[in-house]
Amino acid sequence: MSSSPYAAPCFLSSPTLPEGYRVRLTTGTEAGPVLPAAYSPWLYLTPAHLRLQHHPGERLHFFLEQADSAHTVAQLSVFLSADATAARSPWQAPFGAVQAAAGLPAPAIRALLLAAEAELRARGTGRFTLRLPAFAYEPPALAQLTHVLTQLGYQVTLAELNNHLPLDQEFRARLHPSERRRLLKCERHGLRFEQEPPLLLPLAYEFLRRCRQEKGQDLSMTLAQVQALFREFSDHVFLFSVRDAAGEWAALTIAIRVREDVLYNFYPASPLAYNTFSPVVLLNAGLHAFGQASGMRLLDLGTSTLPEGLNQSLLQFKRHLGGVPSLKLTLEKMLD
């Protein structure tokens, strides 16, 4: 059953809630914290992005509120399958799970999760899956959340290696010598980094699709979904390219500003014909400069996981870029 655009909130009773806290539940596609948030939400946890995650079942949004400060101090959005037997956070995004204010005590996070589990059990849900951000995003908070989840009986079902570039360091200084040579080759042959206008999205999408097809891979989003992302988040989603001396695309990517301090290299691609140049190195150099100029903290290079397992060559390439590894976990718990 599809969820309604909006449903009235209610408060969940829980004996585990520390004094001064309460859990507000709202359902439907339109959901955001009623009280001001005591944290800066990741893009994927904003109401606008949650609304874009189309799925067949109901949506449950849990908000932990603190009465004394009159703030929302944590949130968790959950997507139910069509038959409500399984629940996920997120449905279609790089990550979801719990986001909390800095310094929130572990018992409060535990109480939020237990309240969510009780609600899911009441709806007949038997399996609950949470995909966390890479630890580099918020190391102390994600370490705490992982500890709470494992204490509650969640099991790690997928442990991925994510890589990022710290933006307080120079890009070239971290490059492996082989990648530094490729970067210089690109520059000598007149390749250049550019930001492209969104009106080129249909052509860019076809370019990305062909590049992925050459490697036996598919795109995870349709053109319509990509265009909706650009329409909804014009200040957060960007199209960048590397053009050769003749003005032809040698590489493209869609980059997402996940929060004011993090830029995510979401959809990088380059045709096999340009392998001798490796223009993706120049593409990442441009993203690094853009992130630095925008006052960001890190450039997320993503995981190196394919459906069939770890992509060793991609992982090595990210290491040669100077990528710093961190864990990205997916955890699951059987509720019945």
Side-chain angles (χ1 to χ4, degrees):
M1 181 178 65
S2 297
S3 54
S4 61
Y6 176 80
C10 66
F11 293 102
L12 304 179
S13 59
S14 173
T16 64
L17 271 174
E19 186 176 353
Y21 292 94
R22 64 184 183 185
V23 176
R24 184 191 298 265
L25 168 64
T26 63
T27 62
T29 55
E30 299 293 336
V34 174
L35 299 181
Y39 50 88
S40 178
W42 302 112
L43 179 70
Y44 313 127
L45 304 184
T46 62
H49 198 284
L50 291 166
R51 187 168 59 245
L52 290 182
Q53 297 182 42
H54 300 296
H55 84 300
E58 193 170 10
R59 306 163 189 239
L60 309 178
H61 309 278
F62 302 89
F63 298 98
L64 182 65
E65 299 177 348
Q66 188 175 38
D68 290 347
S69 66
H71 276 84
T72 297
V73 291
Q75 71 175 85
L76 168 64
S77 288
V78 179
F79 296 77
L80 273 61
S81 60
D83 61 2
T85 59
R88 297 184 59 85
S89 179
W91 183 260
Q92 189 184 42
F95 60 81
V98 176
Q99 184 176 5
L104 186 66
I109 298 174
R110 177 187 175 93
L112 172 65
L113 286 160
L114 287 174
E117 288 180 13
E119 183 66 23
L120 290 172
R121 285 192 187 94
R123 293 168 182 265
T125 303
R127 187 173 73 251
F128 187 22
T129 304
L130 297 171
R131 183 168 169 80
L132 276 58
F135 269 59
Y137 276 45
E138 286 182 335
L142 288 161
Q144 180 188 56
L145 175 59
T146 302
H147 181 65
V148 171
L149 288 168
T150 53
Q151 282 189 322
L152 290 175
Y154 287 79
Q155 303 291 320
V156 175
T157 56
L158 180 63
E160 299 174 277
L161 269 182
N162 200 84
N163 271 274
H164 72 275
L165 296 178
L167 295 179
D168 61 349
Q169 302 176 25
E170 287 306 310
F171 180 77
R172 291 172 191 261
R174 298 189 59 84
L175 281 178
H176 187 274
S178 61
E179 303 306 333
R180 195 175 297 122
R181 288 192 296 270
R182 292 186 176 97
L183 179 60
L184 290 171
K185 183 177 180 180
C186 286
E187 293 171 342
R188 283 199 310 271
H189 285 81
L191 276 71
R192 62 190 186 277
F193 176 80
E194 293 189 3
Q195 183 173 351
E196 303 285 358
L199 63 87
L200 294 182
L201 272 176
L203 291 174
Y205 184 87
E206 181 58 22
F207 178 93
L208 295 171
R209 188 194 65 77
R210 288 199 310 270
C211 292
R212 293 294 176 97
Q213 192 175 49
E214 283 185 331
K215 299 177 181 179
Q217 301 168 14
D218 296 318
L219 293 173
S220 59
M221 298 178 70
T222 65
L223 173 58
Q225 288 174 319
V226 172
Q227 289 174 317
L229 199 63
F230 273 79
R231 280 196 307 272
E232 190 71 46
F233 304 106
S234 58
D235 294 335
H236 292 265
V237 187
F238 311 95
L239 183 62
F240 293 108
S241 75
V242 169
R243 289 183 181 267
D244 64 19
E248 299 296 322
W249 281 333
L252 272 177
T253 193
I254 293 170
I256 300 174
R257 187 169 63 189
V258 185
R259 198 171 63 180
E260 63 272 10
D261 58 338
V262 176
L263 185 67
Y264 174 34
N265 188 1
F266 174 48
Y267 255 0
S270 178
L272 295 178
Y274 282 91
N275 275 5
T276 56
F277 289 95
S278 195
V280 175
V281 180
L282 180 56
L283 188 68
N284 279 286
L287 292 175
H288 189 281
F290 176 83
Q292 273 193 335
S294 303
M296 298 186 193
R297 177 173 55 92
L298 63 86
L299 171 61
D300 183 2
L301 303 178
T303 66
S304 303
T305 307
L306 296 173
E308 58 270 22
L310 181 64
N311 186 333
Q312 291 284 359
S313 62
L314 181 58
L315 178 61
Q316 179 174 311
F317 174 68
K318 291 176 181 178
R319 286 175 173 167
H320 280 188
L321 288 177
V324 179
S326 66
L327 276 176
K328 184 173 186 176
L329 300 178
T330 301
L331 297 97
E332 186 173 285
K333 181 175 181 178
M334 302 307 295
L335 301 179
D336 49 12

